C-alpha cells in the first residue's frame, strides 16, 4: 500500500512538503476505513428442529473505538440460546473483535436471520441477512417400534412459597405490631398511674426507712431522698417549682404565701424546713455528715412539715375539681390519639417496607402489573383458545375468542368473491387488536396478492392510523403454507383526547387458488406482554388446504 501511494504521489509531481502531507493523510484515511469492517457468518445453513447454529459477528476497529453488539430479540424469528463474551485479538495495531451467539428454532421452515446492527462510536454498520432452513426430524416408522400412549401422570409442582402465605405473614406482622402497641400502652398506663401527693410523700419516707442508709452511714443518699420527698410534695401540691428552686428561694416563697394569708404555716415549721434543707445541701454538696440522732430527728420533722403543708392548703372547690377532671380527660384523649397515629404510621411503614422489598426483588413493573393489574398481562396468563375461523378455514390460538365482524371490501374484490368472513377482538385504540379475514373466490380467479397487501396501508389510514412504517418479508406457517408478513409501526390518534398512541403491527397474508386469508395484530409499542401474545398468535397460525 505504501508503494502504491508513493507511486501516485510521484506521478502527480507534487512538491516535497505538500506531497508528504498528502501521503500521510491518504495512508490514515485508508487505514481508518479498513479498520472498521463488520461481517457475519454461521456454521451451518441447514439444521434440524432444536439444533443450534453458531452465529459469529467479526468487527475490525481502532483500539479507541466503542463497539456495541446486538442483544435481545434482534435475531427473531430465531431464538438466542446463549450469548458469549466478546473475544478480542490485536492485529497490526488494530483490534479484531469476535462475538458468538448460539441460535435455534423449534418449528420447521425456511427462515432468515435479519441484518444485525453493530454500533462503532456513533456510526451504524450492518451485517448481511442469512437464510436458514430448519428441517423436521424424520422418523422411519417401519423400523421404529410403536408403543401405546401411556396415561397422564400427575407431576408434583416444585417447591414455591404461595402468594397467600406472603399475605398471611404480612397480616401476622401487623397483628403483632398492634398487640405490641396494646401491651405497651397498658404498661405505660400502669407506669403513668401516680399516687396522690400526700400518699406519695409518705411512700417516699417509708422507702427511705426501708433503705437503712443511716446504718450504712450513707448520709448523702439519706438527705437526698429526705429532701426530695418534701420538695416533691411541695411541687405537686403548692408550688410547681419546688424541685428546681434553691433553699433560699423556697423559704422566701413560703414566707410570702404566709404573709399574704394563702398558707397557714407557723414560723417554727418554716424554720425547721429551712434547717432540714440546708443540712441536706451540706450533705449533698459539702460532704457534711450530721450525727445519726440529728438525722432521725430531721426525718420526724419532715413528716410534720408535710402534714403542716397539707393542713395549710385549703380544700379545692367543686369547680376546681371539675377543671382538673376535664384536664385529665383531655390529656388522656391526646395520649390515645397519639397512640393511634403511631399505630397507623407503623402499619404504613410496614406496608411501604414490604412494597419496597417486592420492587427491589421483582421490579417496579412486575409489582404494578401483578397487584394493580395489567390488561394484556391478564390476557397472556389466562386460558388460551384454539379454534378455526372462516372459509377457507384458518386455525389459530388466541387469548380470547374472536367475534364475528365486518370489514368493507373494494368493489372489484366483492365481484370476484363467493363470500368473506371477518373475526376480531378489541379495537385500534385498545391495548390489543386482532382481526382475521378470509375470502373465498369464484373458481380459479387471478387474485393480485400484492395489490391486497398495498391496500393494507389505505385500510389502516381509514381506521385512523398515521405515520405508518411498513416492512415486508416472506413467512411460512407451522404446516408449511407460504405467505407474506407485513410489519412495522404506526400511530393511532385518540379521538377524545387527541393523544397519539405509538403502536406496532404484524399482518400475515396468504393467497392461493380459491382464497385469501389475512391475520392482523396491532398492539402498543411499549407493551412487552402484548409482544409475547403477538408472537404466540403468529406462530400458531395454520392454513388449511385451499384446494379442497
Amino acid at each position: 500500500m505504501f508503494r502504491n501511494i508513493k507511486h501516485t504521489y510521484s506521478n502527480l509531481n507534487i512538491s516535497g512538503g505538500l506531497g508528504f502531507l498528502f501521503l500521510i493523510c491518504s495512508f490514515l484515511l485508508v487505514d481508518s476505513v479498513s479498520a472498521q469492517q463488520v461481517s457475519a457468518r454461521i456454521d451451518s445453513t441447514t439444521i434440524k428442529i432444536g439444533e443450534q447454529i453458531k452465529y459469529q459477528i467479526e468487527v475490525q476497529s481502532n483500539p479507541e473505538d466503542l463497539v456495541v453488539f446486538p442483544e435481545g430479540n434482534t435475531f427473531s424469528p430465531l431464538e438466542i440460546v446463549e450469548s458469549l463474551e466478546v473475544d478480542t485479538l490485536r492485529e497490526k495495531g488494530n483490534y479484531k473483535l469476535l462475538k458468538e451467539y448460539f441460535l435455534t428454532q423449534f418449528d420447521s421452515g425456511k427462515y432468515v436471520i435479519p441484518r444485525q446492527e453493530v454500533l462503532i462510536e456513533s456510526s451504524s454498520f450492518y451485517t448481511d441477512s442469512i437464510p436458514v432452513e430448519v428441517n423436521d426430524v424424520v422418523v422411519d416408522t417401519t423400523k421404529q417400534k410403536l408403543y401405546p400412549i401411556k396415561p397422564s401422570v400427575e407431576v408434583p409442582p416444585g417447591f414455591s412459597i404461595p402468594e397467600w402465605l406472603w399475605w398471611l405473614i404480612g397480616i401476622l406482622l401487623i397483628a403483632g405490631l398492634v398487640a405490641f402497641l396494646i401491651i405497651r400502652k397498658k404498661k405505660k398506663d400502669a407506669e403513668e398511674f401516680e399516687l396522690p401527693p400526700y400518699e406519695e410523700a409518705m411512700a417516699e419516707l417509708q422507702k427511705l426507712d426501708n433503705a437503712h442508709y443511716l446504718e450504712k452511714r450513707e448520709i448523702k443518699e439519706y438527705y437526698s431522698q429526705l429532701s426530695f420527698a418534701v420538695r416533691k410534695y411541695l411541687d405537686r401540691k403548692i408550688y410547681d417549682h419546688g424541685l428546681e428552686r434553691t433553699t433560699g428561694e423556697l423559704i422566701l416563697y413560703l414566707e410570702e404565701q404566709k404573709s399574704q394569708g394563702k398558707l397557714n404555716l407557723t414560723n417554727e415549721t418554716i424554720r425547721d424546713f429551712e434547717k432540714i434543707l440546708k443540712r441536706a445541701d451540706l450533705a449533698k454538696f459539702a460532704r457534711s455528715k450530721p450525727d445519726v440522732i440529728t438525722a432521725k430527728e430531721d426525718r420526724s420533722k419532715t413528716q410534720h412539715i408535710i402534714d403542716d403543708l397539707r393542713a395549710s392548703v385549703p380544700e379545692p372547690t367543686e369547680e376546681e375539681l371539675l377543671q382538673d377532671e376535664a384536664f385529665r380527660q383531655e390529656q388522656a384523649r391526646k395520649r390515645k390519639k397519639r397512640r393511634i397515629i403511631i399505630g397507623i404510621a407503623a402499619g404504613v411503614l410496614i406496608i411501604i417496607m414490604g412494597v419496597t422489598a417486592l420492587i427491589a426483588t421483582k421490579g417496579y413493573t412486575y409489582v404494578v402489573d401483578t397487584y394493580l393489574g395489567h390488561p394484556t398481562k391478564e390476557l397472556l396468563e389466562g386460558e388460551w383458545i384454539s379454534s378455526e375461523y372462516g372459509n377457507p378455514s384458518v386455525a389459530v390460538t388466541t387469548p380470547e375468542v374472536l367475534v364475528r365482524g365486518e370489514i368493507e371490501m373494494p368493489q372489484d374484490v366483492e365481484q370476484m368473491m363467493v363470500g368473506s368472513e371477518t373475526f376480531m377482538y378489541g379495537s385500534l385504540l385498545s391495548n390489543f387488536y386482532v382481526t382475521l379475514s378470509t375470502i373465498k373466490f369464484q373458481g380459479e380467479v387471478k387474485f393480485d396478492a400484492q395489490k391486497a397487501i398495498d391496500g393494507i396501508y389505505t385500510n389502516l389510514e381509514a381506521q385512523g392510523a398515521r405515520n405508518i412504517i411498513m416492512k415486508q418479508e416472506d413467512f411460512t406457517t407451522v404446516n408449511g403454507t407460504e405467505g407474506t408478513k407485513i410489519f412495522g409501526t404506526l400511530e393511532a390518534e385518540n379521538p377524545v383526547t387527541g393523544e397519539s398512541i405509538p403502536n406496532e403491527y404484524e399482518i400475515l397474508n396468504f393467497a392461493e387458488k380459491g382464497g385469501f386469508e389475512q391475520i392482523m395484530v396491532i398492539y402498543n409499542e411499549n407493551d412487552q406482554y402484548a409482544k409475547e401474545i403477538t408472537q404466540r398468535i403468529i406462530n400458531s397460525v395454520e392454513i388449511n388446504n385451499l384446494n379442497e
Side-chain angles (χ1 to χ4, degrees):
M1 184 173 64
F2 271 105
R3 288 196 299 273
N4 293 337
I5 296 174
K6 185 175 180 181
H7 179 69
T8 302
Y9 159 69
S10 62
N11 289 339
L12 291 174
N13 295 319
I14 303 175
S15 58
L18 184 61
F20 181 74
L21 180 62
F22 175 77
L23 173 66
I24 296 300
C25 290
S26 300
F27 174 77
L28 292 176
L29 178 62
V30 172
D31 184 65
S32 176
V33 171
S34 63
Q36 297 182 345
Q37 294 182 0
V38 177
S39 61
R41 62 178 179 271
I42 59 176
D43 60 347
S44 176
T45 59
T46 303
I47 62 170
K48 294 181 180 179
I49 290 178
E51 285 187 341
Q52 296 181 9
I53 299 173
K54 183 166 73 173
Y55 182 94
Q56 296 179 328
I57 298 179
E58 183 178 304
V59 176
Q60 294 182 355
S61 65
N62 297 320
E64 66 276 4
D65 289 345
L66 173 64
V67 180
V68 179
F69 288 92
E71 292 292 345
N73 297 325
T74 60
F75 295 94
S76 180
L78 272 72
E79 302 177 11
I80 296 180
V81 178
E82 185 178 7
S83 175
L84 302 182
E85 296 293 331
V86 179
D87 287 337
T88 304
L89 300 176
R90 190 176 182 88
E91 293 184 352
K92 299 179 181 180
N94 293 327
Y95 281 154
K96 178 180 178 182
L97 307 178
L98 184 63
K99 175 74 172 179
E100 292 186 350
Y101 306 84
F102 288 93
L103 313 177
T104 189
Q105 175 57 255
F106 296 97
D107 292 323
S108 61
K110 294 181 179 179
Y111 300 91
V112 174
I113 301 176
R115 300 169 64 201
Q116 300 299 310
E117 181 183 12
V118 179
L119 294 177
I120 303 179
E121 291 297 326
S122 59
S123 301
S124 296
F125 295 82
Y126 293 89
T127 65
D128 294 331
S129 58
I130 304 176
V132 176
E133 184 175 358
V134 181
N135 297 322
D136 283 320
V137 178
V138 180
V139 178
D140 188 352
T141 57
T142 60
K143 297 180 180 179
Q144 177 69 37
K145 293 183 179 180
L146 301 179
Y147 301 94
I149 299 174
K150 293 185 178 181
S152 59
V153 178
E154 286 289 337
V155 179
F159 175 77
S160 62
I161 300 177
E163 185 176 346
W164 63 266
L165 184 59
W166 291 112
W167 284 103
L168 179 61
I169 292 173
I171 293 172
L172 290 176
L173 286 174
I174 295 174
L177 176 65
V178 172
F180 168 76
L181 293 175
I182 293 174
I183 295 172
R184 184 170 175 267
K185 173 184 175 301
K186 290 181 177 180
K187 289 183 177 180
K188 190 173 182 180
D189 290 344
E191 292 174 356
E192 289 178 353
F193 175 75
E194 288 184 330
L195 293 170
Y198 181 78
E199 285 76 4
E200 184 184 22
M202 294 299 103
E204 290 291 337
L205 292 178
Q206 184 62 42
K207 188 189 299 184
L208 175 66
D209 295 338
N210 296 334
H212 303 292
Y213 287 127
L214 294 178
E215 288 82 347
K216 301 175 185 177
R217 295 296 186 269
E218 295 177 354
I219 304 299
K220 177 180 177 181
E221 287 76 11
Y222 180 85
Y223 272 97
S224 294
Q225 189 166 334
L226 184 66
S227 61
F228 175 78
V230 67
R231 280 175 175 270
K232 182 69 179 293
Y233 177 79
L234 190 65
D235 182 86
R236 292 187 60 191
K237 192 67 177 176
I238 299 174
Y239 184 38
D240 57 1
H241 296 292
L243 290 173
E244 57 195 61
R245 298 305 184 189
T246 63
T247 298
E249 290 172 339
L250 281 179
I251 298 302
L252 181 61
Y253 173 79
L254 293 177
E255 289 175 345
E256 289 177 352
Q257 295 296 308
K258 178 180 180 299
S259 63
Q260 295 174 8
K262 296 181 179 180
L263 289 177
N264 187 17
L265 292 174
T266 63
N267 290 328
E268 182 181 359
T269 299
I270 295 176
R271 298 283 79 82
D272 289 342
F273 188 28
E274 182 180 11
K275 291 177 183 178
I276 292 172
L277 291 179
K278 285 184 177 180
R279 267 197 289 270
D281 292 340
L282 290 173
K284 289 189 290 183
F285 304 114
R287 299 183 182 275
S288 173
K289 292 186 177 181
D291 58 83
V292 174
I293 296 175
T294 303
K296 288 183 177 181
E297 289 178 353
D298 287 343
R299 158 67 176 82
S300 179
K301 289 179 180 179
T302 298
Q303 184 167 349
H304 290 303
I305 291 170
I306 293 174
D307 291 337
D308 291 344
L309 288 172
R310 181 188 183 191
S312 68
V313 179
E315 292 296 326
T317 64
E318 185 176 352
E319 183 179 356
E320 291 175 340
L321 291 174
L322 291 175
Q323 290 178 352
D324 290 343
E325 181 64 23
F327 176 76
R328 285 194 294 272
Q329 290 179 356
E330 179 65 18
Q331 292 299 108
R333 188 186 65 81
K334 289 182 178 179
R335 287 194 296 269
K336 182 178 180 180
K337 182 179 179 181
R338 185 167 59 251
R339 285 192 290 268
I340 292 173
I341 293 174
I342 293 174
I344 294 174
V348 172
L349 179 62
I350 290 175
I351 294 173
I352 292 175
M353 292 174 62
V355 172
T356 304
L358 276 176
I359 292 175
T361 55
K362 300 291 187 177
Y364 175 79
T365 302
Y366 173 85
V367 174
V368 171
D369 294 347
T370 301
Y371 295 99
L372 299 184
H374 192 285
T376 50
K377 185 175 187 291
E378 293 172 2
L379 285 177
L380 178 63
E381 296 177 350
E383 184 176 354
W384 284 56
I385 301 164
S386 298
S387 185
E388 293 187 0
Y389 300 89
N391 181 29
S393 63
V394 178
V396 65
T397 302
T398 55
E400 295 287 347
V401 175
L402 303 184
V403 179
R404 187 180 297 273
E406 293 184 2
I407 293 181
E408 294 184 5
M409 297 288 181
Q411 188 173 359
D412 54 346
V413 176
E414 289 184 351
Q415 293 175 354
M416 295 186 296
M417 68 184 188
V418 175
S420 67
E421 294 179 276
T422 300
F423 305 85
M424 59 182 61
Y425 171 80
S427 67
L428 187 61
L429 297 179
S430 62
N431 297 68
F432 195 77
Y433 180 39
V434 182
T435 64
L436 189 153
S437 301
T438 63
I439 301 175
K440 184 71 174 179
F441 294 110
Q442 301 174 5
E444 295 185 3
V445 299
K446 185 177 181 182
F447 179 72
D448 190 350
Q450 188 59 44
K451 183 178 179 181
I453 293 172
D454 294 339
I456 293 173
Y457 189 92
T458 305
N459 185 26
L460 290 174
E461 281 192 331
Q463 297 185 61
R466 299 291 182 268
N467 300 326
I468 302 173
I469 298 176
M470 186 177 294
K471 301 177 183 179
Q472 178 177 333
E473 65 180 24
D474 295 334
F475 181 84
T476 305
T477 65
V478 292
N479 63 340
T481 305
E482 295 183 354
T484 304
K485 178 181 177 182
I486 308 296
F487 61 99
T489 59
L490 58 85
E491 293 181 358
E493 183 176 342
N494 190 317
V496 178
T497 63
E499 179 186 3
S500 181
I501 305 172
N503 288 331
E504 293 186 21
Y505 68 91
E506 294 189 22
I507 306 173
L508 300 183
N509 302 275
F510 304 93
E512 296 187 16
K513 295 179 181 180
F516 176 76
E517 298 81 27
Q518 183 182 88
I519 300 92
M520 177 170 65
V521 184
I522 302 177
Y523 56 92
N524 289 352
E525 187 176 33
N526 299 321
D527 193 338
Q528 182 61 38
Y529 306 113
K531 292 182 181 180
E532 294 183 33
I533 294 174
T534 300
Q535 292 304 313
R536 187 170 173 180
I537 291 175
I538 295 297
N539 292 335
S540 70
V541 172
E542 293 186 30
I543 308 298
N544 288 350
N545 190 350
L546 298 178
N547 295 321
E548 294 181 357

